[in-house]
Amino acid sequence: MSTTPCYDELARHCLRLHRFDHLAAIGGWDRAAKMPPKGNDARSAALAELAGLMHRLRTDPSLRERLDRAEQEPLDELQRANLREIRRDWFNANALPESLVQARQLATSRCEHAWRQQRPANDWAGFVEHFREVLRVGREEARLLSEQSGLSKYDALMDRYEPGMTCATVDRVFGEVRQWLPDLIARATERQRSRPLIEPVGPFPVAQQRALCEAAMRLMGFDFSAGRLDVSAHPFSGGVPEDVRLTTRYNTEEFLISLMGTIHETGHGRYEQNLPRALLGQPVALARSMAIHESQSLSFEMQLGRSRAFVEQLAPLVAEHLGPQPAFEAENLWRLLTRVAPGRIRVDADEVTYPAHVILRYEIERPLIEGEIEAEDIPALWNAKMQELLGIDTTGDYANGPLQDVHWPEALFGYFPCYSLGAMYAAQWFAAMRRAVPDTDTRVAQGDFTPVFGWLDQHIWQQGSRWTTDELALRASGETLNPAHFKAHLEARYLG
Amino acid sequence: MSTTPCYDELARHCLRLHRFDHLAAIGGWDRAAKMPPKGNDARSAALAELAGLMHRLRTDPSLRERLDRAEQEPLDELQRANLREIRRDWFNANALPESLVQARQLATSRCEHAWRQQRPANDWAGFVEHFREVLRVGREEARLLSEQSGLSKYDALMDRYEPGMTCATVDRVFGEVRQWLPDLIARATERQRSRPLIEPVGPFPVAQQRALCEAAMRLMGFDFSAGRLDVSAHPFSGGVPEDVRLTTRYNTEEFLISLMGTIHETGHGRYEQNLPRALLGQPVALARSMAIHESQSLSFEMQLGRSRAFVEQLAPLVAEHLGPQPAFEAENLWRLLTRVAPGRIRVDADEVTYPAHVILRYEIERPLIEGEIEAEDIPALWNAKMQELLGIDTTGDYANGPLQDVHWPEALFGYFPCYSLGAMYAAQWFAAMRRAVPDTDTRVAQGDFTPVFGWLDQHIWQQGSRWTTDELALRASGETLNPAHFKAHLEARYLG
Ligand SMILES: [Zn+2]
Ligand SMILES: [Zn+2]
């Protein structure tokens, strides 16, 4: 008889969830990438039925005692890490009452539905009508999660996406960035003002762009025997670790957004494709967190993908698939990929101005959740911070202001910081790998990405959720999150 | 309070199954059409987990009493028909013990796996080694189903695919066909001997073939906002009524197989797309049976698709997408589509010789199941019947003989008759619609398919499983299955 009966039972429970999750992931991917419009109602009903089943499994009352008993069983280190992650999943599934989950569903779907019209109409007043209820639900979630976890309210929300991350850390890190970022943006844009730049000349047919994107994915080691690239309105990395489904979208007038977006998703995809296989189906074998996931996509898109060395390899691929142009010469292509230009839209931002957008959102949604400000206060704060951080006057422009993202209509409070924390971790990883392999950039320029992918595989991908984020960072790079590497990276690339 | 509590409970049970079935269907379609190879193990595990869940739901012990009580509740006619179908599903799920279901799974997967090597190697002796166990399982299933249903053994197997169909009917119908078929084949081939025929000249690029197939689907009324066409190794009609997923495959040297195969699947697809919506999610809203399903695909592929009138519409589409050729003139294209040539392979057979293949299989698998012959007796019987029905000597050719189909390795005993019963029903439907709308063919030649699709929609598609097959045929055409229409159709098309 097993000496770890409760742990074994929990592991079987996780494996079942993993398998049902597989079908939910493929059903969701198909909805975004393949499903014809009239299939939507039936698909929604089917996915909701499965979600209901999974929720019942996750909230099975017998789990509480089983978790407590498993703690007493003789587990090895990996099993203990798995048990920690099982408990985390259990906590998140059980922390909120069904009535609040339903209220959230109702409020966010109403708000998001209205937002799709209100954003193009620049209708802030209309938006606030629905958003108040979303905010009420978000605050109530924060209150309950905070009570049960002992974390502060906003910390409790962040914990769902980035376990262990706290406002104390974010304040410290974003506070530092705030000190030097506006000056760095000013110096970088000034420096680029006189730089010659040749614009690419379209159109770029979709079939050629697709071939280019797939070639770039191959160049970056994506395993097409365990994944695909398709098209969806909103690009994402979906599927399951055993079968990764990436999407992009094509615009015949512009190819770099799709190409670099695909490289971004390839970073997410390779993380998933290379998660540890030993305990596959268990939470410990899943990706660590959202910030760490984003650190992989940004390692691919920003650290590697926009490095001068990598562009040596990318430029010939672009010319091969889209036909040669002066704009596709490596030096010019790199300049196109490293243009710095403050703007209103987060998702269009370059890597230098991007953190400003995230800091702004954090500085608004945190007091929103803590109850220090109300929805009505957002526009004034938004305008002040855009002026302060990026020098842009956004007065009266709600569409490209607080209405630009789907996160708030969807009550995804606590998520935004992950984007910039990911960028900072990515810089930290590249600093560590350059210490480990000093000729990394030389080898990348020659087409040998082993120093990069080998390091990521060993230190991030193969670790899954074995360690907390802090432990992972410490083991990988010798220190926990340190934004100095991000600053050094930006200075080297944009002021060097 | 509801006056039909047990019925309502059963309906909710069916709706849950319908939703889970949706995810199984999309997961299965994706596996065949999109999934990269390394995703297979995880997909198999996920689909098996879902199948296990659905089996537990279907075999819930409380269903028996609920079914009995629902019978006593005040149901309307449609609800009563639904209850009949729920009971049928319940019977099929509960009739066989778990141990036999597992034995079947094991025996068929072993046999099919070996068959994939044995067929190209023409290795009959090797095949029989594994097939004996498949046959043993098939006989045991037949025995148990027969005991519980009161049907004869082979009837009990057929009943799973074509409820109510019996050997008495099949013997009568196939017996009639056997009388006139060899002579009709001889006269048709003799008549075609001197007919001038121009062969199409390839290659036919895949992109053009795909556009042609999609145009043909549109011509035949397939709703692309509720379905798709993709590629798979073995073409099929999958998905769900709300989102129909058809597949085909392309060969650049030959386009008619893919085109007519797509038209065949379009018949299946339109049946699914036009099932009644009122009780969607309930068994009564599903397709009647496999023979009726095949009667729709063959209505599209054979009755309509190879009619001289329809080819007037198809020919310009072919020329438009593949470029004009003398072979694509309507009269020549029609001759290509109506060529009669006895051959060894069922799936390659024309509509005149096809029934011979099915009769042969029926006349072998029925005594196999009844225990009158053994696996070792198959080749001699096969050769004798091929000689008798099609005049072909197949001695020693197992690969293109009893090893050609996957049905026997998969223990699909009782399925084969559905193919030819479907062809006969299709002829019966077209005779009925020509009585209802005498100028059907004139209108079809002018591109107006309303008489065909309107009749099928009203009499077949919208009926779902409301009636038994016999009642459905009687209401639609004034008589139950009558093979005289099939004979008249073949004579008119091939001897007329
Ligand atoms: Zn990302
Ligand atoms: Zn068919």
Side-chain angles (χ1 to χ4, degrees), chain A residues 263-279:
Chain A
I263 289 176
H264 177 100
E265 302 304 339
T266 303
H268 287 306
R270 285 210 70 189
Y271 188 12
E272 293 285 319
Q273 284 187 332
N274 292 286
L275 286 166
R277 282 295 183 269
L279 278 179

Side-chain angles (χ1 to χ4, degrees), chain A residues 264-265 268 293-294 297 419:
Chain A
H264 177 100
E265 302 304 339
H268 287 306
H293 230 307
E294 218 56 41
S297 55
Y419 294 119

Side-chain angles (χ1 to χ4, degrees), chain B residues 309 430 433-445 448 451-452:
Chain B
F430 272 71
M433 76 179 69
R434 287 193 180 101
R435 288 195 302 274
V437 184
D439 65 344
T440 292
D441 292 273
T442 317
R443 288 172 64 182
V444 165
D448 174 12
V452 178

Side-chain angles (χ1 to χ4, degrees), chain A residues 252-272:
Chain A
T252 54
E253 297 309 310
E254 211 291 329
F255 74 95
L256 279 173
I257 292 175
S258 176
L259 177 60
M260 297 314 288
T262 299
I263 289 176
H264 177 100
E265 302 304 339
T266 303
H268 287 306
R270 285 210 70 189
Y271 188 12
E272 293 285 319

Side-chain angles (χ1 to χ4, degrees), chain A residues 72-199:
Chain A
Q72 310 307 322
E73 292 175 349
L75 305 178
D76 66 25
E77 188 203 344
L78 204 53
Q79 290 173 319
R80 206 153 284 284
N82 195 33
L83 188 57
R84 177 194 67 218
E85 298 302 320
I86 297 173
R87 188 176 280 281
R88 210 177 98 70
D89 186 66
W90 174 83
F91 176 84
N92 285 326
N94 289 275
L96 300 176
E98 195 56 31
S99 57
L100 187 58
V101 172
Q102 281 168 14
R104 179 201 174 95
Q105 178 55 37
L106 198 66
T108 56
S109 69
R110 275 190 191 149
C111 187
E112 192 194 326
H113 187 77
W115 167 79
R116 299 211 173 272
Q117 312 292 324
Q118 288 155 348
R119 189 192 170 193
N122 200 41
D123 178 10
W124 173 256
F127 176 76
V128 170
E129 289 302 305
H130 290 102
F131 181 62
R132 265 192 218 101
E133 174 63 11
V134 173
L135 182 57
R136 192 194 67 75
V137 166
R139 285 171 172 171
E140 181 65 8
E141 286 186 348
R143 190 185 65 78
L144 284 167
L145 291 168
S146 165
E147 273 178 18
Q148 289 175 67
S149 63
L151 298 170
S152 81
K153 287 178 189 165
Y154 192 81
D155 286 358
L157 293 185
M158 272 199 298
D159 198 74
R160 297 185 292 187
Y161 310 115
E162 186 52 47
M165 183 53 62
T166 62
C167 289
T169 300
V170 177
D171 284 343
R172 173 176 63 80
V173 168
F174 285 7
E176 271 186 48
V177 174
R178 239 185 176 290
Q179 299 296 315
W180 49 257
L181 189 66
D183 177 60
L184 200 155
I185 294 170
R187 288 165 67 198
T189 45
E190 177 54 34
R191 202 183 148 91
Q192 292 187 355
R193 208 183 298 275
S194 58
R195 196 168 73 161
L197 196 63
I198 308 165
E199 296 290 341

